[in-house]
C-alpha cells in the first residue's frame, strides 16, 4: 500500500477525535530548523465550511487489539487497515509543511500489538521530525493508556501537548462498552504527565536563578521541555446514561487534581451496530454545546458546578444557556450597576464576557457608562440589558422582571448557523483530507525541473492550491492594469 492510500484511510479514521485546539505556547523559528509555534493558536486557514485544516490530523495506525463498542476501528469491524512507518509519516508531515498546507501534527493511534509498541512507533516518528528535520512546529500526541512510564516520559519531551482520552464518564460505562480498558490505566499516565510537567518547570526555574553551589557549566545539549502546552482529555457524551451533573463534576475534578488545560466533549456518533449502544440515531450536538458553555463558566467565569447544575435538575436546559439560567434563578442579585459593580459580579451578567467585564472596569474610571458606551465595548447589550442598570436607570424596560418573563425573552433554540456540525447541509464529524467541498480548486500539477511528477503530489488532495497557481490568481484579481504594471516592472 502506498503513502497516498495510507493517508486516505488513516486521516479519515482520525476525524472522530475532537481533542485538538490551539497550541498554548510560543516558540520562535531558529536558523537551520523548520517551523514555529504561536500561543494564539496554530490554526491559520479553514476549509469552506469553517473547520480548521491546518493540523495534519492522522492516526499512526487504525489496527487495534481492543474491541470498544463505540469505536469504528475496533478489532471486530471489517474495515480497511493501514499503518504508517515512522519515516513515512515524518516525511509526509514535512512535505505538507513545506507546501504550507499544515502548521503542525496531531498524532493519535490505534493500539497495535501493545501500548508500548504503539508508543515506540510514535516516538520514532516524532524523533525523526524533531532531530533529523529540525521541526519546531506544534505537535499534539496521544498517550496510550497502559504505556510504561519510561515511554510516556520520552514522548512528552517530543510533543508540545499530550492527551489521554477518558473515553467514557464512569468506570461502569467503561466496563460495559470498553471492557479491555480501566480507569486506573487511564489515570496513571495523566498523573505522570502532571507530575513531570511540574517537575520540569521547577527544575528550569531553579536553573534560571542559578541557585546552586556547584560550578556553573553550560550543558552540551539542552533538553526539550516536557509537554510545555499541558495536557487535555476527551469524553464521549450520549453513549451512556451519565447526567450532565456527573460529567461536569468529573470535569471540575480533572481540572482541580490533574491541572488539565481542556476537557473536550464529543457527542456520540453511531458508527457500529451493537446491542450495548443506545438505539437512537440522533446526535446530541445541542447537549454537547451546552456542556462546553458550562465548562467555559468553570474555567473562566469563576463558577462552581453546584451553581450551574444540581442533583435535582441533573441535565442542562437545552433552550437556555447555563449562565442565563443561573441569572434568572438568582434574580435577587440583579440588576447590577455597571458603573460600580465588582468584576466578579460583572462576570455573572449574561451578555458580558471576560474581556467585556475587564473593559468595563477600565473604562468606567474615565467616564460614566451607558448603552452607547457598552455597545462600543462589545457587550451583547440585547441580553445584558435585563440584568443591569446604567447610572441608576434600568436598561430592560418593557420586560417582566421575573423568572418566567426573562426566560421567555432569553430562551431560544441553538442556532447551528451555515457552517459546522449543527448545519443541516454538513455531514457530522470532521472532514477528512479527501472529502470534496463546494469550493472548486485546480488540479495539482507540480513537475520538477526534469519534467517528472512530484512523488508527494499524489498524496495531496486535489482541492489544495499549488504555489505556482497563487501568482496566476493574483494576476487574475489585479486584472489587465495589474498585468501591465507587473510587465513594466519586469522590463525595467
Amino acid at each position: 500500500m502506498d503513502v497516498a492510500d495510507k493517508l486516505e484511510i488513516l486521516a479519515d479514521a482520525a476525524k472522530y477525535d475532537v481533542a485538538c485546539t490551539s497550541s498554548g505556547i510560543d516558540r520562535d523559528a531558529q536558523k537551520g530548523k523548520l517551523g514555529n509555534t504561536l500561543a494564539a493558536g496554530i490554526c491559520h486557514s479553514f476549509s469552506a465550511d469553517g473547520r480548521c485544516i491546518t493540523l495534519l490530523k492522522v492516526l499512526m495506525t487504525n489496527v487495534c487489539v481492543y474491541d470498544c463498542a463505540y469505536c469504528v476501528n475496533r478489532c471486530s469491524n471489517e474495515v480497511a487497515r493501514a499503518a504508517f512507518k515512522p519515516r513515512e509519516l515524518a516525511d509526509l508531515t514535512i512535505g505538507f509543511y513545506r507546501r504550507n498546507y499544515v502548521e503542525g501534527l496531531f498524532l493519535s493511534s490505534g493500539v497495535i500489538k501493545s501500548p508500548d509498541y504503539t508508543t515506540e512507533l510514535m516516538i520514532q516518528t516524532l524523533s525523526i521530525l524533531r532531530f533529523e528535520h529540525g521541526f519546531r512546529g506544534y505537535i499534539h500526541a496521544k498517550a496510550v493508556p497502559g504505556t510504561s512510564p519510561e515511554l510516556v516520559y520520552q514522548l512528552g519531551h517530543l510533543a508540545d501537548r499530550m492527551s489521554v482520552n477518558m473515553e467514557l464518564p464512569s468506570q461502569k460505562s467503561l466496563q460495559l462498552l470498553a471492557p479491555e480498558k480501566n480507569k486506573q490505566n487511564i489515570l496513571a499516565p495523566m498523573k505522570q504527565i502532571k507530575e513531570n510537567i511540574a517537575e520540569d518547570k521547577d527544575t528550569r526555574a531553579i536553573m534560571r536563578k542559578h541557585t546552586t553551589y556547584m560550578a556553573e557549566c553550560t550543558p552540551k545539549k539542552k533538553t526539550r521541555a516536557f509537554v510545555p502546552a499541558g495536557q487535555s482529555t476527551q469524553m464521549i457524551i450520549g453513549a451512556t446514561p451519565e447526567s450532565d451533573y456527573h460529567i461536569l463534576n468529573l470535569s471540575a475534578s480533572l481540572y482541580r487534581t490533574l491541572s488539565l488545560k481542556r476537557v473536550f466533549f464529543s457527542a456520540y456518533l453511531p458508527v457500529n451496530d451493537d446491542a450495548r449502544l443506545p438505539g437512537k440515531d440522533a446526535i446530541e450536538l445541542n447537549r454537547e454545546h451546552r456542556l462546553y458553555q458550562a465548562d467555559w463558566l468553570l474555567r473562566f467565569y469563576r463558577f462552581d458546578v453546584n451553581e450551574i447544575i444540581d442533583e435535582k435538575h441533573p441535565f442542562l436546559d437545552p433552550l437556555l444557556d447555563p449562565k442565563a439560567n443561573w441569572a434568572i434563578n438568582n434574580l435577587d442579585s440583579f440588576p447590577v450597576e455597571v458603573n460600580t459593580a465588582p468584576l466578579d459580579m460583572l462576570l455573572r451578567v449574561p451578555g458580558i464576557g471576560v474581556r467585556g467585564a475587564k473593559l468595563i472596569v477600565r473604562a468606567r474610571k474615565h467616564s460614566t457608562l451607558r448603552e452607547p458606551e457598552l455597545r462600543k465595548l462589545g457587550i451583547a447589550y440585547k441580553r445584558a440589558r435585563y440584568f443591569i442598570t446604567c447610572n441608576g436607570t434600568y436598561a430592560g424596560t418593557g420586560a417582566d422582571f421575573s423568572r418566567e418573563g426573562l426566560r421567555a425573552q432569553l430562551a431560544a433554540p441553538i442556532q447551528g448557523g451555515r457552517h459546522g456540525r449543527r448545519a443541516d447541509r454538513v455531514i457530522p464529524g470532521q472532514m477528512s483530507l479527501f472529502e470534496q467541498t463546494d469550493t472548486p480548486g485546480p488540479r495539482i500539477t507540480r513537475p520538477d525541473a526534469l519534467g517528472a511528477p512530484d512523488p508527494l503530489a499524489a498524496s495531496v488532495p486535489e482541492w489544495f492550491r499549488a504555489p505556482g497557481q497563487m501568482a496566476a490568481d493574483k494576476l487574475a484579481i489585479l486584472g489587465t492594469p495589474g498585468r501591465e504594471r507587473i510587465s513594466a516592472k519586469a522590463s525595467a
Side-chain angles (χ1 to χ4, degrees), residues 147-199:
T147 303
S148 61
E150 295 80 10
L151 293 176
V152 172
Y153 185 77
Q154 291 182 44
L155 187 62
H157 279 289
L158 295 169
D160 295 298
R161 174 167 286 177
M162 292 181 69
S163 56
V164 185
N165 284 354
M166 289 288 294
E167 304 290 0
L168 297 166
S170 69
Q171 174 64 24
K172 182 179 179 181
S173 296
L174 277 174
Q175 290 176 349
L176 175 65
L177 301 183
E180 295 93 346
K181 298 179 180 179
N182 61 72
K183 182 179 177 181
Q184 288 70 29
N185 284 347
I186 294 173
L187 291 178
M190 296 176 75
K191 292 178 180 177
Q192 180 191 348
I193 292 169
K194 178 206 172 183
E195 292 169 359
N196 287 350
I197 290 174
E199 182 181 350

Side-chain angles (χ1 to χ4, degrees), residues 37-279:
T37 302
L38 303 178
I42 62 170
C43 305
H44 304 304
S45 63
F46 298 85
S47 63
D49 64 343
R51 284 173 285 185
C52 176
I53 57 172
T54 53
L55 278 180
L56 176 56
K57 188 176 181 182
V58 71
L59 298 183
M60 193 81 209
T61 178
N62 65 342
V63 178
C64 193
V65 298
Y66 296 151
D67 195 27
C68 304
Y70 50 83
C71 183
V72 69
N73 298 316
R74 63 180 185 174
C75 61
S76 60
N77 273 1
E78 294 183 3
V79 297
R81 305 285 180 176
F84 277 119
K85 295 178 181 178
R87 187 162 296 279
E88 285 179 341
L89 182 52
D91 291 345
L92 186 67
T93 303
I94 293 300
F96 278 137
Y97 179 81
R98 290 186 185 279
R99 287 171 170 79
N100 202 28
Y101 297 156
V102 299
E103 297 284 338
L105 174 66
F106 181 97
L107 182 58
S108 185
S109 182
V111 181
I112 181 171
K113 293 186 179 179
S114 68
D116 282 355
Y117 182 80
T118 305
T119 305
E120 286 173 355
L121 293 177
M122 298 173 71
I123 289 173
Q124 291 176 32
T125 303
L126 301 192
S127 297
I128 294 171
L129 281 171
R130 294 298 196 195
F131 303 130
E132 292 190 23
H133 293 292
F135 183 68
R136 290 175 58 79
Y138 176 72
I139 295 178
H140 183 145
K142 287 285 184 179
V144 182
T147 303
S148 61
E150 295 80 10
L151 293 176
V152 172
Y153 185 77
Q154 291 182 44
L155 187 62
H157 279 289
L158 295 169
D160 295 298
R161 174 167 286 177
M162 292 181 69
S163 56
V164 185
N165 284 354
M166 289 288 294
E167 304 290 0
L168 297 166
S170 69
Q171 174 64 24
K172 182 179 179 181
S173 296
L174 277 174
Q175 290 176 349
L176 175 65
L177 301 183
E180 295 93 346
K181 298 179 180 179
N182 61 72
K183 182 179 177 181
Q184 288 70 29
N185 284 347
I186 294 173
L187 291 178
M190 296 176 75
K191 292 178 180 177
Q192 180 191 348
I193 292 169
K194 178 206 172 183
E195 292 169 359
N196 287 350
I197 290 174
E199 182 181 350
D200 184 80
K201 286 183 178 179
D202 290 344
T203 302
R204 290 175 181 276
I206 291 174
M207 291 177 65
R208 284 195 296 269
K209 293 178 180 179
H210 299 287
T211 54
T212 177
Y213 294 101
M214 299 175 62
E216 291 188 6
C217 60
T218 303
K220 293 182 179 180
K221 185 177 180 180
K222 293 182 179 179
T223 58
R224 293 181 52 82
F226 185 90
V227 194
Q231 66 169 321
S232 59
T233 191
Q234 173 181 336
M235 286 185 282
I236 299 172
I237 305 302
T240 50
E242 285 84 8
S243 66
D244 295 341
Y245 180 73
H246 176 95
I247 292 168
L248 288 175
N249 273 294
L250 176 59
S251 300
S253 176
L254 292 173
Y255 287 129
R256 183 175 59 254
T257 60
L258 296 176
S259 304
L260 263 65
K261 292 291 185 181
R262 186 83 180 269
V263 175
F264 290 87
F265 308 105
S266 177
Y268 165 67
L269 184 67
V271 293
N272 297 323
D273 291 328
D274 194 296
R276 296 170 291 175
L277 295 172

Side-chain angles (χ1 to χ4, degrees), residues 26 32 34 47 100 160 176 220 239 291 293 327 335 408 422 446:
D26 275 309
L34 291 171
S47 63
N100 202 28
D160 295 298
L176 175 65
K220 293 182 179 180
L291 283 169
Q293 289 180 320
R422 286 191 299 276
R446 193 179 311 200

